[in-house]
Amino acid sequence: MPIARYGVLACHAVDRRREGSTDTPHYQIHLVDNSGTDYRAAVNVLSQQAPSELLYLADDDFRHPLTSLLPPAGSGWTPLPSERGGAALDFIRGNMFVPAAMRTLPPDLPGVDNDLADLLDHYVQRAIADPTTGVYAFGQRFGPEQGRPDKVFGFRPGNGVHDIHMNQGNSGRFKGDDGVWQDGALLFHLPAESRWTAIFLAFQSQAWHTDDVTGHALPAPAVRPGVRDAPLRVVGVRTDSVPAALPADAVILLNASPEPVELTGWQLTDGHGGLLSLPAQVLAPGDTTTVSGSDGFHLDKSGGTVTLLDPGGLKVHGVAYTGQQRRGEGWMVTF
């Protein structure tokens, strides 16, 4: 069954510990909310399944409509329903980042700037030094463990969040944790710079095509999807009909491959799960086509996502945009 007690912890960082000598090392973060409640975020830095090194992606300028849906900084724990349209994370369906851009790092090595703990230190130490930085840890809640101190930082009661990584497409004994819209991550809000940064983690053993209901791995290629691999891709969206002659809810598609692509059977999905079937046509190499929405497909001006599905229903490409990326009425958002 999916993980229990999924949500997001909105706090400020006050301390951290590196664990480099245990069988299941974590990077531990001590967090405190505005009421003074203590929490611990346990971040995996090593997989129990081979290959052991984790995949990571660090985005220093994270722009996604999700950030406008998050609870206030320092507000503590917020349970999240595992469904689209809210603040829950799904690495695949939410178009958070390009999976092929992820890289591997060992958990903890001698030296500087050469392991995953060093990478996390770069962001967490900055957050500790600047108490205005909001830290958002997505994952599964544990505690409060009444009468028991936290095993790392000693505060009472033990309390926090773990599973701060992708939580779908698992194999072996971890398959029971699969679910959709329940992935974990670390986000940092730097209000002085009006900027978000994000760290996404996944295990190399996890699949990147999963069932829309169970989150279990589908019988599909094991490669992590990338923009360069997509023959057909989304290159622009228009959310309004300015000038009036142009359609709203419009998506521009590019055939980036050297071969013609038959569009019959391809579909687009919006951030609400609405579907738009592509018109039956052959798109020549290098050509673009514009398709516009129907009653079931809508692009919000405040931000959203667009996902491209092939005739087999597998995700080929996806984009996300925010309201701030729209320069004004009539402007397209390009990717």
Side-chain angles (χ1 to χ4, degrees), residues 283-327:
L283 192 61
D287 277 2
T288 62
T289 187
T290 301
V291 294
S292 56
S294 61
D295 291 341
F297 183 89
H298 177 64
L299 302 180
D300 295 327
K301 292 183 179 181
S302 59
T305 61
V306 179
T307 302
L308 178 64
L309 306 177
D310 70 13
L314 297 180
K315 175 181 174 179
V316 173
H317 186 225
V319 297
Y321 66 95
T322 67
Q324 289 72 30
Q325 288 176 272
R326 296 175 63 251
R327 294 185 59 183

mmCIF file of all heavy atoms in Angstrom, residues 283-327:
data_model
loop_
_atom_site.group_PDB
_atom_site.id
_atom_site.type_symbol
_atom_site.label_atom_id
_atom_site.label_comp_id
_atom_site.label_asym_id
_atom_site.label_seq_id
_atom_site.Cartn_x
_atom_site.Cartn_y
_atom_site.Cartn_z
ATOM 1 N N LEU A 283 3.359 14.789 -38.826
ATOM 2 C CA LEU A 283 4.188 15.973 -38.607
ATOM 3 C C LEU A 283 5.573 15.697 -39.167
ATOM 4 O O LEU A 283 6.277 14.779 -38.718
ATOM 5 C CB LEU A 283 4.262 16.294 -37.117
ATOM 6 C CG LEU A 283 4.845 17.660 -36.732
ATOM 7 C CD1 LEU A 283 4.001 18.786 -37.316
ATOM 8 C CD2 LEU A 283 4.935 17.800 -35.222
ATOM 9 N N ALA A 284 5.975 16.479 -40.153
ATOM 10 C CA ALA A 284 7.256 16.276 -40.824
ATOM 11 C C ALA A 284 8.418 16.634 -39.904
ATOM 12 O O ALA A 284 8.262 17.398 -38.949
ATOM 13 C CB ALA A 284 7.301 17.128 -42.096
ATOM 14 N N PRO A 285 9.606 16.113 -40.183
ATOM 15 C CA PRO A 285 10.780 16.446 -39.373
ATOM 16 C C PRO A 285 11.014 17.948 -39.308
ATOM 17 O O PRO A 285 10.979 18.634 -40.332
ATOM 18 C CB PRO A 285 11.923 15.736 -40.116
ATOM 19 C CG PRO A 285 11.262 14.628 -40.860
ATOM 20 C CD PRO A 285 9.906 15.138 -41.242
ATOM 21 N N GLY A 286 11.203 18.464 -38.103
ATOM 22 C CA GLY A 286 11.478 19.872 -37.916
ATOM 23 C C GLY A 286 10.253 20.762 -37.926
ATOM 24 O O GLY A 286 10.363 21.961 -37.664
ATOM 25 N N ASP A 287 9.087 20.208 -38.214
ATOM 26 C CA ASP A 287 7.872 21.018 -38.268
ATOM 27 C C ASP A 287 7.230 21.158 -36.885
ATOM 28 O O ASP A 287 7.457 20.332 -35.991
ATOM 29 C CB ASP A 287 6.843 20.400 -39.219
ATOM 30 C CG ASP A 287 7.102 20.781 -40.672
ATOM 31 O OD1 ASP A 287 8.105 21.485 -40.935
ATOM 32 O OD2 ASP A 287 6.312 20.359 -41.539
ATOM 33 N N THR A 288 6.412 22.198 -36.753
ATOM 34 C CA THR A 288 5.632 22.408 -35.535
ATOM 35 C C THR A 288 4.151 22.374 -35.874
ATOM 36 O O THR A 288 3.755 22.579 -37.029
ATOM 37 C CB THR A 288 5.959 23.752 -34.865
ATOM 38 O OG1 THR A 288 5.617 24.819 -35.758
ATOM 39 C CG2 THR A 288 7.422 23.832 -34.479
ATOM 40 N N THR A 289 3.348 22.119 -34.872
ATOM 41 C CA THR A 289 1.903 22.202 -35.004
ATOM 42 C C THR A 289 1.333 22.757 -33.718
ATOM 43 O O THR A 289 1.909 22.551 -32.640
ATOM 44 C CB THR A 289 1.276 20.826 -35.323
ATOM 45 O OG1 THR A 289 -0.116 20.989 -35.598
ATOM 46 C CG2 THR A 289 1.441 19.863 -34.165
ATOM 47 N N THR A 290 0.239 23.494 -33.823
ATOM 48 C CA THR A 290 -0.422 24.062 -32.646
ATOM 49 C C THR A 290 -1.762 23.370 -32.453
ATOM 50 O O THR A 290 -2.562 23.285 -33.390
ATOM 51 C CB THR A 290 -0.640 25.578 -32.800
ATOM 52 O OG1 THR A 290 0.619 26.227 -32.987
ATOM 53 C CG2 THR A 290 -1.314 26.147 -31.560
ATOM 54 N N VAL A 291 -1.992 22.870 -31.258
ATOM 55 C CA VAL A 291 -3.274 22.252 -30.927
ATOM 56 C C VAL A 291 -3.892 23.052 -29.791
ATOM 57 O O VAL A 291 -3.181 23.573 -28.932
ATOM 58 C CB VAL A 291 -3.101 20.774 -30.529
ATOM 59 C CG1 VAL A 291 -2.619 19.958 -31.710
ATOM 60 C CG2 VAL A 291 -2.145 20.616 -29.356
ATOM 61 N N SER A 292 -5.200 23.174 -29.811
ATOM 62 C CA SER A 292 -5.874 23.968 -28.782
ATOM 63 C C SER A 292 -6.807 23.104 -27.969
ATOM 64 O O SER A 292 -7.226 22.025 -28.401
ATOM 65 C CB SER A 292 -6.661 25.128 -29.418
ATOM 66 O OG SER A 292 -7.576 24.646 -30.378
ATOM 67 N N GLY A 293 -7.131 23.600 -26.784
ATOM 68 C CA GLY A 293 -7.877 22.834 -25.816
ATOM 69 C C GLY A 293 -9.330 22.613 -26.178
ATOM 70 O O GLY A 293 -9.876 23.213 -27.095
ATOM 71 N N SER A 294 -9.922 21.716 -25.418
ATOM 72 C CA SER A 294 -11.339 21.413 -25.539
ATOM 73 C C SER A 294 -11.968 21.619 -24.167
ATOM 74 O O SER A 294 -11.347 22.158 -23.255
ATOM 75 C CB SER A 294 -11.532 19.968 -26.007
ATOM 76 O OG SER A 294 -10.963 19.066 -25.065
ATOM 77 N N ASP A 295 -13.207 21.168 -24.004
ATOM 78 C CA ASP A 295 -13.889 21.342 -22.722
ATOM 79 C C ASP A 295 -13.166 20.624 -21.583
ATOM 80 O O ASP A 295 -13.264 21.021 -20.432
ATOM 81 C CB ASP A 295 -15.330 20.823 -22.820
ATOM 82 C CG ASP A 295 -16.196 21.704 -23.711
ATOM 83 O OD1 ASP A 295 -15.801 22.862 -23.933
ATOM 84 O OD2 ASP A 295 -17.229 21.215 -24.184
ATOM 85 N N GLY A 296 -12.428 19.568 -21.916
ATOM 86 C CA GLY A 296 -11.761 18.798 -20.862
ATOM 87 C C GLY A 296 -10.300 19.126 -20.671
ATOM 88 O O GLY A 296 -9.622 18.478 -19.874
ATOM 89 N N PHE A 297 -9.774 20.109 -21.407
ATOM 90 C CA PHE A 297 -8.346 20.454 -21.344
ATOM 91 C C PHE A 297 -8.228 21.959 -21.156
ATOM 92 O O PHE A 297 -8.757 22.730 -21.954
ATOM 93 C CB PHE A 297 -7.645 20.011 -22.622
ATOM 94 C CG PHE A 297 -6.163 20.249 -22.642
ATOM 95 C CD1 PHE A 297 -5.287 19.287 -22.164
ATOM 96 C CD2 PHE A 297 -5.645 21.434 -23.144
ATOM 97 C CE1 PHE A 297 -3.907 19.500 -22.191
ATOM 98 C CE2 PHE A 297 -4.280 21.657 -23.178
ATOM 99 C CZ PHE A 297 -3.414 20.682 -22.690
ATOM 100 N N HIS A 298 -7.532 22.376 -20.095
ATOM 101 C CA HIS A 298 -7.462 23.807 -19.787
ATOM 102 C C HIS A 298 -6.098 24.146 -19.200
ATOM 103 O O HIS A 298 -5.558 23.403 -18.367
ATOM 104 C CB HIS A 298 -8.557 24.182 -18.791
ATOM 105 C CG HIS A 298 -8.513 25.621 -18.372
ATOM 106 N ND1 HIS A 298 -8.730 26.660 -19.252
ATOM 107 C CD2 HIS A 298 -8.246 26.182 -17.164
ATOM 108 C CE1 HIS A 298 -8.609 27.807 -18.616
ATOM 109 N NE2 HIS A 298 -8.317 27.553 -17.351
ATOM 110 N N LEU A 299 -5.537 25.292 -19.618
ATOM 111 C CA LEU A 299 -4.260 25.778 -19.120
ATOM 112 C C LEU A 299 -4.512 27.007 -18.249
ATOM 113 O O LEU A 299 -4.953 28.040 -18.749
ATOM 114 C CB LEU A 299 -3.319 26.134 -20.272
ATOM 115 C CG LEU A 299 -3.016 24.993 -21.254
ATOM 116 C CD1 LEU A 299 -2.077 25.478 -22.344
ATOM 117 C CD2 LEU A 299 -2.424 23.793 -20.528
ATOM 118 N N ASP A 300 -4.243 26.891 -16.964
ATOM 119 C CA ASP A 300 -4.486 27.991 -16.040
ATOM 120 C C ASP A 300 -3.474 29.110 -16.245
ATOM 121 O O ASP A 300 -2.275 28.862 -16.413
ATOM 122 C CB ASP A 300 -4.397 27.493 -14.593
ATOM 123 C CG ASP A 300 -5.500 26.499 -14.255
ATOM 124 O OD1 ASP A 300 -6.604 26.646 -14.798
ATOM 125 O OD2 ASP A 300 -5.235 25.584 -13.452
ATOM 126 N N LYS A 301 -3.927 30.354 -16.163
ATOM 127 C CA LYS A 301 -3.024 31.493 -16.269
ATOM 128 C C LYS A 301 -2.065 31.569 -15.087
ATOM 129 O O LYS A 301 -0.955 32.092 -15.206
ATOM 130 C CB LYS A 301 -3.828 32.794 -16.354
ATOM 131 C CG LYS A 301 -4.622 32.965 -17.634
ATOM 132 C CD LYS A 301 -5.324 34.311 -17.665
ATOM 133 C CE LYS A 301 -6.111 34.507 -18.948
ATOM 134 N NZ LYS A 301 -6.776 35.825 -19.000
ATOM 135 N N SER A 302 -2.473 31.045 -13.941
ATOM 136 C CA SER A 302 -1.643 31.116 -12.738
ATOM 137 C C SER A 302 -0.521 30.090 -12.720
ATOM 138 O O SER A 302 0.350 30.130 -11.851
ATOM 139 C CB SER A 302 -2.516 30.920 -11.498
ATOM 140 O OG SER A 302 -3.174 29.659 -11.538
ATOM 141 N N GLY A 303 -0.518 29.173 -13.681
ATOM 142 C CA GLY A 303 0.520 28.155 -13.740
ATOM 143 C C GLY A 303 -0.077 26.780 -13.896
ATOM 144 O O GLY A 303 -1.242 26.541 -13.547
ATOM 145 N N GLY A 304 0.724 25.857 -14.431
ATOM 146 C CA GLY A 304 0.220 24.505 -14.622
ATOM 147 C C GLY A 304 1.258 23.619 -15.278
ATOM 148 O O GLY A 304 2.443 23.969 -15.385
ATOM 149 N N THR A 305 0.814 22.457 -15.720
ATOM 150 C CA THR A 305 1.684 21.499 -16.382
ATOM 151 C C THR A 305 1.026 21.008 -17.667
ATOM 152 O O THR A 305 -0.192 21.030 -17.804
ATOM 153 C CB THR A 305 1.984 20.284 -15.485
ATOM 154 O OG1 THR A 305 0.756 19.599 -15.179
ATOM 155 C CG2 THR A 305 2.656 20.714 -14.191
ATOM 156 N N VAL A 306 1.863 20.557 -18.588
ATOM 157 C CA VAL A 306 1.406 19.907 -19.820
ATOM 158 C C VAL A 306 2.279 18.678 -20.015
ATOM 159 O O VAL A 306 3.514 18.774 -19.998
ATOM 160 C CB VAL A 306 1.521 20.826 -21.045
ATOM 161 C CG1 VAL A 306 1.059 20.085 -22.301
ATOM 162 C CG2 VAL A 306 0.710 22.093 -20.855
ATOM 163 N N THR A 307 1.646 17.520 -20.199
ATOM 164 C CA THR A 307 2.363 16.264 -20.360
ATOM 165 C C THR A 307 1.957 15.615 -21.673
ATOM 166 O O THR A 307 0.767 15.579 -22.012
ATOM 167 C CB THR A 307 2.063 15.309 -19.194
ATOM 168 O OG1 THR A 307 2.424 15.937 -17.970
ATOM 169 C CG2 THR A 307 2.851 14.010 -19.339
ATOM 170 N N LEU A 308 2.946 15.115 -22.397
ATOM 171 C CA LEU A 308 2.731 14.481 -23.688
ATOM 172 C C LEU A 308 2.833 12.970 -23.521
ATOM 173 O O LEU A 308 3.848 12.459 -23.022
ATOM 174 C CB LEU A 308 3.763 14.982 -24.700
ATOM 175 C CG LEU A 308 3.726 14.404 -26.106
ATOM 176 C CD1 LEU A 308 2.422 14.778 -26.813
ATOM 177 C CD2 LEU A 308 4.928 14.913 -26.915
ATOM 178 N N LEU A 309 1.781 12.253 -23.947
ATOM 179 C CA LEU A 309 1.720 10.796 -23.839
ATOM 180 C C LEU A 309 1.733 10.188 -25.236
ATOM 181 O O LEU A 309 1.026 10.660 -26.139
ATOM 182 C CB LEU A 309 0.451 10.353 -23.107
ATOM 183 C CG LEU A 309 0.191 10.960 -21.728
ATOM 184 C CD1 LEU A 309 -1.143 10.463 -21.187
ATOM 185 C CD2 LEU A 309 1.322 10.627 -20.767
ATOM 186 N N ASP A 310 2.516 9.118 -25.418
ATOM 187 C CA ASP A 310 2.550 8.443 -26.708
ATOM 188 C C ASP A 310 1.329 7.535 -26.860
ATOM 189 O O ASP A 310 0.520 7.407 -25.926
ATOM 190 C CB ASP A 310 3.869 7.698 -26.897
ATOM 191 C CG ASP A 310 4.008 6.473 -25.983
ATOM 192 O OD1 ASP A 310 3.005 6.043 -25.369
ATOM 193 O OD2 ASP A 310 5.130 5.945 -25.886
ATOM 194 N N PRO A 311 1.130 6.895 -28.020
ATOM 195 C CA PRO A 311 -0.059 6.054 -28.211
ATOM 196 C C PRO A 311 -0.183 4.914 -27.209
ATOM 197 O O PRO A 311 -1.278 4.383 -27.009
ATOM 198 C CB PRO A 311 0.116 5.525 -29.641
ATOM 199 C CG PRO A 311 0.887 6.599 -30.341
ATOM 200 C CD PRO A 311 1.856 7.080 -29.301
ATOM 201 N N GLY A 312 0.912 4.531 -26.562
ATOM 202 C CA GLY A 312 0.857 3.503 -25.537
ATOM 203 C C GLY A 312 0.549 4.040 -24.156
ATOM 204 O O GLY A 312 0.483 3.275 -23.191
ATOM 205 N N GLY A 313 0.344 5.363 -24.045
ATOM 206 C CA GLY A 313 0.025 5.978 -22.764
ATOM 207 C C GLY A 313 1.226 6.302 -21.905
ATOM 208 O O GLY A 313 1.068 6.698 -20.746
ATOM 209 N N LEU A 314 2.448 6.163 -22.436
ATOM 210 C CA LEU A 314 3.654 6.456 -21.669
ATOM 211 C C LEU A 314 4.044 7.920 -21.841
ATOM 212 O O LEU A 314 3.920 8.491 -22.929
ATOM 213 C CB LEU A 314 4.816 5.569 -22.114
ATOM 214 C CG LEU A 314 4.652 4.067 -21.899
ATOM 215 C CD1 LEU A 314 5.894 3.333 -22.388
ATOM 216 C CD2 LEU A 314 4.374 3.737 -20.439
ATOM 217 N N LYS A 315 4.544 8.518 -20.771
ATOM 218 C CA LYS A 315 5.001 9.903 -20.829
ATOM 219 C C LYS A 315 6.251 10.009 -21.695
ATOM 220 O O LYS A 315 7.224 9.284 -21.501
ATOM 221 C CB LYS A 315 5.290 10.422 -19.424
ATOM 222 C CG LYS A 315 5.889 11.820 -19.391
ATOM 223 C CD LYS A 315 6.179 12.265 -17.979
ATOM 224 C CE LYS A 315 6.915 13.602 -17.957
ATOM 225 N NZ LYS A 315 7.194 14.069 -16.585
ATOM 226 N N VAL A 316 6.223 10.931 -22.648
ATOM 227 C CA VAL A 316 7.360 11.182 -23.526
ATOM 228 C C VAL A 316 8.051 12.494 -23.164
ATOM 229 O O VAL A 316 9.269 12.614 -23.201
ATOM 230 C CB VAL A 316 6.907 11.194 -24.998
ATOM 231 C CG1 VAL A 316 8.040 11.618 -25.925
ATOM 232 C CG2 VAL A 316 6.380 9.824 -25.404
ATOM 233 N N HIS A 317 7.241 13.490 -22.803
ATOM 234 C CA HIS A 317 7.795 14.806 -22.475
ATOM 235 C C HIS A 317 6.791 15.529 -21.598
ATOM 236 O O HIS A 317 5.589 15.243 -21.624
ATOM 237 C CB HIS A 317 8.050 15.604 -23.758
ATOM 238 C CG HIS A 317 8.758 16.904 -23.537
ATOM 239 N ND1 HIS A 317 8.380 18.098 -24.133
ATOM 240 C CD2 HIS A 317 9.820 17.209 -22.757
ATOM 241 C CE1 HIS A 317 9.192 19.061 -23.754
ATOM 242 N NE2 HIS A 317 10.069 18.557 -22.911
ATOM 243 N N GLY A 318 7.274 16.444 -20.775
ATOM 244 C CA GLY A 318 6.390 17.232 -19.928
ATOM 245 C C GLY A 318 7.027 18.543 -19.547
ATOM 246 O O GLY A 318 8.260 18.639 -19.441
ATOM 247 N N VAL A 319 6.206 19.570 -19.354
ATOM 248 C CA VAL A 319 6.689 20.892 -18.961
ATOM 249 C C VAL A 319 5.820 21.427 -17.830
ATOM 250 O O VAL A 319 4.686 20.964 -17.623
ATOM 251 C CB VAL A 319 6.676 21.885 -20.143
ATOM 252 C CG1 VAL A 319 7.608 21.427 -21.250
ATOM 253 C CG2 VAL A 319 5.259 22.076 -20.676
ATOM 254 N N ALA A 320 6.351 22.393 -17.110
ATOM 255 C CA ALA A 320 5.606 23.118 -16.090
ATOM 256 C C ALA A 320 5.879 24.603 -16.270
ATOM 257 O O ALA A 320 6.969 25.002 -16.697
ATOM 258 C CB ALA A 320 6.032 22.672 -14.691
ATOM 259 N N TYR A 321 4.897 25.433 -15.938
ATOM 260 C CA TYR A 321 5.059 26.875 -16.064
ATOM 261 C C TYR A 321 4.361 27.552 -14.893
ATOM 262 O O TYR A 321 3.442 26.997 -14.283
ATOM 263 C CB TYR A 321 4.482 27.385 -17.395
ATOM 264 C CG TYR A 321 2.976 27.232 -17.504
ATOM 265 C CD1 TYR A 321 2.116 28.280 -17.167
ATOM 266 C CD2 TYR A 321 2.413 26.029 -17.919
ATOM 267 C CE1 TYR A 321 0.737 28.133 -17.243
ATOM 268 C CE2 TYR A 321 1.040 25.867 -18.003
ATOM 269 C CZ TYR A 321 0.202 26.921 -17.654
ATOM 270 O OH TYR A 321 -1.163 26.771 -17.723
ATOM 271 N N THR A 322 4.812 28.745 -14.562
ATOM 272 C CA THR A 322 4.205 29.541 -13.497
ATOM 273 C C THR A 322 3.549 30.780 -14.091
ATOM 274 O O THR A 322 3.833 31.167 -15.238
ATOM 275 C CB THR A 322 5.245 29.968 -12.457
ATOM 276 O OG1 THR A 322 6.168 30.891 -13.078
ATOM 277 C CG2 THR A 322 6.021 28.773 -11.916
ATOM 278 N N GLY A 323 2.703 31.417 -13.292
ATOM 279 C CA GLY A 323 2.074 32.648 -13.752
ATOM 280 C C GLY A 323 3.090 33.743 -14.011
ATOM 281 O O GLY A 323 2.908 34.583 -14.900
ATOM 282 N N GLN A 324 4.197 33.749 -13.261
ATOM 283 C CA GLN A 324 5.226 34.772 -13.423
ATOM 284 C C GLN A 324 5.963 34.646 -14.753
ATOM 285 O O GLN A 324 6.576 35.607 -15.227
ATOM 286 C CB GLN A 324 6.228 34.696 -12.270
ATOM 287 C CG GLN A 324 5.684 35.158 -10.927
ATOM 288 C CD GLN A 324 4.701 34.174 -10.327
ATOM 289 O OE1 GLN A 324 4.803 32.970 -10.558
ATOM 290 N NE2 GLN A 324 3.746 34.677 -9.554
ATOM 291 N N GLN A 325 5.935 33.452 -15.356
ATOM 292 C CA GLN A 325 6.619 33.263 -16.635
ATOM 293 C C GLN A 325 5.842 33.875 -17.799
ATOM 294 O O GLN A 325 6.391 34.046 -18.888
ATOM 295 C CB GLN A 325 6.862 31.777 -16.883
ATOM 296 C CG GLN A 325 7.950 31.189 -15.995
ATOM 297 C CD GLN A 325 8.103 29.702 -16.199
ATOM 298 O OE1 GLN A 325 7.440 28.885 -15.571
ATOM 299 N NE2 GLN A 325 8.988 29.322 -17.103
ATOM 300 N N ARG A 326 4.581 34.180 -17.595
ATOM 301 C CA ARG A 326 3.795 34.864 -18.618
ATOM 302 C C ARG A 326 4.115 36.358 -18.561
ATOM 303 O O ARG A 326 3.909 37.007 -17.544
ATOM 304 C CB ARG A 326 2.300 34.645 -18.390
ATOM 305 C CG ARG A 326 1.850 33.213 -18.518
ATOM 306 C CD ARG A 326 0.373 33.072 -18.158
ATOM 307 N NE ARG A 326 -0.496 33.817 -19.060
ATOM 308 C CZ ARG A 326 -1.151 34.921 -18.706
ATOM 309 N NH1 ARG A 326 -1.039 35.418 -17.474
ATOM 310 N NH2 ARG A 326 -1.933 35.532 -19.567
ATOM 311 N N ARG A 327 4.593 36.932 -19.632
ATOM 312 C CA ARG A 327 4.997 38.335 -19.632
ATOM 313 C C ARG A 327 3.808 39.277 -19.705
ATOM 314 O O ARG A 327 3.939 40.470 -19.490
ATOM 315 C CB ARG A 327 5.943 38.594 -20.807
ATOM 316 C CG ARG A 327 7.269 37.866 -20.697
ATOM 317 C CD ARG A 327 8.206 38.246 -21.816
ATOM 318 N NE ARG A 327 8.477 39.674 -21.835
ATOM 319 C CZ ARG A 327 9.235 40.267 -22.762
ATOM 320 N NH1 ARG A 327 9.773 39.542 -23.725
ATOM 321 N NH2 ARG A 327 9.448 41.567 -22.734
#
